[in-house]
Amino acid sequence: MSIFKKLLFLLMFSFSSALMAQQLVVEVTQGVESPVPVAVAPFGWQGEAALSDDIAGIISQNLGRSGFFKSMSRENMLSFPDREEQVFFRDWRMMNQDYLVTGRMEPLSASEVKITFELYDVLKEERILVREVSAGSQNLRDAAHYISDVIFEALTGIKGAFSTRIVYVAADRRDTDEQRYRLRLADWDGERARTILESNEPILSPAWSFDGTKLAYVSFETTRPVIYIQHLATGQREQIQSFPGLNGAPAWSPDGHKLALVLSKDGNPEIYVLDLRTHALDRMTQSSAIDTEPFWAPDGKSIFFTSDRGGSPQIYRMDLSSRSVERVTYEGSYNARGRLTQDGRFLTMVHRGSSRRFQIAVQDLKSGRLDILTNSDYDESPSIAPNGSIVMYATQERGRGILSAVSLDGRIRFSMPVPQGDVREPAWSPFLQ
């Protein structure tokens, strides 16, 4: 059985149980050994009507769910300061807090709110930053994610990814025993999920454009695999060139003008590049083996892909100027579905080694070192946060599909289960403007 058929079979097999229309929920299962204590006091509000979202609560959840921080419960706070003169550092030291976030909000108009937030170092008894932002009264969750990003970067030196989004595929079984598939778009934490495509046929391989405005994916709605591009702002979608046989695994070039994809129109699955402006199609690989799962290097100068040309599925790299191909992975009998961090140094993949389990691994392309990040039996579809800190992937829990995540150093883990059903094929967005 070919690589593609094996992967397609496993993906199809995994969609087996009912999924209710419920949100993903982040559950931290493992954080850093000593997460940093941080308290986010409720933000003061000077308006009359109640607000739609609890900004401070969302910030506290974001920081706690990141695994880097331990958020303080409001029930344990001695006071709720919303400005500097109300902060008594002794109280927060007594509660063993290292950092404190305060904030206040006031209406600018009927539909706009001004938010002032401050970050304090409790031990040094000093204010680290103060910032003002404005937000629509119906977009307070976006403001909370932005503030979380600012705080996270101030304390870790890593750009926050709380304002990013994810897409994933969910399936539910109807009373007629038929499957219903949904392509879902959500905040990074699974909130505000909405369906952007629904079909009785499978949906596979969602891929974000590098500007975060479009998705490419494979849909079987015509009973055969066809690649579509969907514009997220308008919902408009277009079918790209469709050929007999396999049309799969779309991957955007960094400039957004091209798609790498897998076609079997000439009899064997090969890597092609489609220019979306001219519709010119360029065949990249010429092999009797199965070449699949392309993805671009961040600099756009090479394409990585999975191939069994060496006897087992491994990841290869093609230099686009010379068309020369080199093998990248050697450790283990199976390495596939690779993805690169934005600096191009770390390669994540689905790996099978001596344990015979399919796990998520990361290889340092500079040193060649490979580390296994997960310990479950069947993990798939890794997708890296744009700040390079976390890998999200699909796995099995109690016989059903869920999304989980692990940091590149393996110290932080969290899962995103739904109460019932299967989710698969996660894709993490780039940083969004």
Side-chain angles (χ1 to χ4, degrees):
M1 185 181 291
S2 71
I3 294 175
F4 177 79
K5 289 181 179 178
K6 288 179 181 178
L7 292 177
L8 180 59
F9 172 78
L10 290 171
L11 284 169
M12 298 292 289
F13 180 76
S14 68
F15 285 123
S16 58
S17 52
L19 178 74
M20 306 303 290
Q22 303 189 49
Q23 304 279 43
L24 297 166
V25 179
V26 175
E27 297 179 355
V28 178
T29 56
Q30 177 182 319
V32 294
E33 292 182 3
S34 300
V36 177
V38 60
V40 183
F43 283 15
W45 168 234
Q46 300 177 16
E48 297 181 358
L51 295 173
S52 59
D53 289 292
D54 178 357
I55 285 188
I58 296 170
I59 296 168
S60 182
Q61 284 185 343
N62 280 341
L63 297 176
R65 288 170 171 175
S66 75
F68 286 86
F69 300 96
K70 181 179 180 181
S71 296
M72 184 182 189
S73 171
R74 286 183 184 175
E75 288 75 17
N76 296 326
M77 295 181 183
L78 299 178
S79 61
F80 295 153
D82 62 19
R83 61 190 70 243
E84 187 170 15
E85 57 267 26
Q86 298 174 352
V87 174
F88 296 98
F89 291 107
R90 179 188 60 187
D91 293 346
W92 301 100
R93 283 199 305 272
M94 288 175 54
M95 302 303 294
N96 298 315
Q97 298 303 299
D98 288 358
Y99 296 97
L100 170 66
V101 178
T102 66
R104 55 194 175 276
M105 301 176 290
E106 58 184 276
L108 293 177
S109 68
S111 59
E112 191 173 13
V113 174
K114 183 177 80 170
I115 307 166
T116 304
F117 67 97
E118 299 168 332
L119 173 64
Y120 297 91
D121 186 319
V122 173
L123 301 181
K124 294 182 179 180
E125 297 191 3
E126 64 182 25
R127 187 172 66 185
I128 299 174
L129 64 83
V130 57
R131 193 79 57 87
E132 288 185 358
V133 297
S134 60
S137 56
Q138 300 304 312
N139 297 312
L140 295 181
R141 180 169 287 273
D142 292 324
H145 288 324
Y146 168 76
I147 295 170
S148 301
D149 287 335
V150 172
I151 295 169
F152 185 85
E153 185 170 9
L155 297 181
T156 68
I158 302 171
K159 187 174 182 178
F162 302 112
S163 297
T164 58
R165 295 184 177 182
I166 61 171
V167 293
Y168 57 92
V169 178
D172 67 83
R173 189 181 298 279
R174 298 300 179 87
D175 294 337
T176 59
D177 210 33
E178 294 181 350
Q179 294 276 23
R180 188 70 172 169
Y181 299 87
R182 295 184 177 91
L183 182 61
R184 304 270 281 170
L185 171 69
D187 289 2
W188 87 276
D189 55 4
E191 295 290 336
R192 295 192 294 190
R194 63 184 177 92
T195 298
I196 59 177
L197 177 67
E198 189 169 352
S199 174
N200 288 327
E201 301 297 333
I203 304 165
L204 299 174
S205 305
W208 289 87
S209 62
F210 276 67
D211 63 3
T213 64
K214 298 181 287 292
L215 287 174
Y217 53 83
V218 179
S219 173
F220 284 72
E221 62 198 70
T222 62
T223 70
R224 54 183 301 271
V226 176
I227 299 173
Y228 292 87
I229 292 175
Q230 184 152 341
H231 298 256
L232 294 176
T234 63
Q236 177 186 0
R237 67 176 190 150
E238 55 189 288
Q239 176 183 319
I240 71 167
Q241 288 175 271
S242 181
F243 299 94
L246 171 66
N247 297 267
W252 293 89
S253 63
D255 62 11
H257 298 318
K258 298 178 180 179
L259 277 182
L261 41 89
V262 178
L263 303 175
S264 63
K265 68 185 187 66
D266 296 322
N268 195 55
E270 302 283 359
I271 307 298
Y272 292 77
V273 170
L274 174 67
D275 191 311
L276 297 173
R277 298 163 297 181
T278 65
H279 303 290
L281 190 65
D282 189 3
R283 180 170 173 173
M284 309 303 295
T285 59
Q286 305 277 343
S287 172
S288 60
I290 304 299
D291 297 330
T292 187
E293 300 175 340
F295 61 101
W296 297 76
D299 61 9
K301 295 180 179 179
S302 58
I303 288 178
F304 292 70
F305 61 95
T306 303
S307 177
D308 65 352
R309 61 183 62 195
S312 66
Q314 299 292 338
I315 297 174
Y316 293 77
R317 173 171 47 201
M318 171 181 285
D319 181 274
L320 294 180
S321 60
S322 66
R323 301 294 177 97
S324 62
V325 175
E326 64 173 333
R327 181 170 166 175
V328 177
T329 58
Y330 287 89
E331 186 174 337
S333 61
Y334 181 103
N335 291 290
R337 196 62 180 265
R339 292 294 184 269
L340 281 170
T341 53
Q342 281 301 304
D343 60 7
R345 177 169 178 176
F346 294 97
L347 172 68
T348 65
M349 69 199 80
V350 179
H351 169 83
R352 185 176 66 189
S354 57
S355 68
R356 311 301 295 173
R357 297 187 293 174
F358 292 93
Q359 300 167 303
I360 304 301
V362 60
Q363 181 172 322
D364 186 332
L365 295 183
K366 184 175 181 179
S367 68
R369 173 179 171 143
L370 184 139
D371 293 306
I372 298 174
L373 301 179
T374 62
N375 55 12
S376 41
D377 292 331
Y378 186 72
D379 303 325
E380 62 184 23
S381 305
S383 181
I384 306 174
N387 62 6
S389 63
I390 297 288
V391 183
M392 184 174 292
Y393 60 96
T395 189
Q396 294 282 324
E397 181 181 86
R398 299 183 180 91
R400 61 188 179 91
I402 68 165
L403 302 185
S404 288
V406 60
S407 60
L408 280 186
D409 60 11
R411 296 194 303 163
I412 298 169
R413 301 177 189 275
F414 60 82
S415 61
M416 301 177 70
V418 290
Q420 298 178 359
D422 276 332
V423 291
R424 277 289 182 265
E425 298 280 284
W428 210 318
S429 79
F431 288 117
L432 302 174
Q433 299 299 323

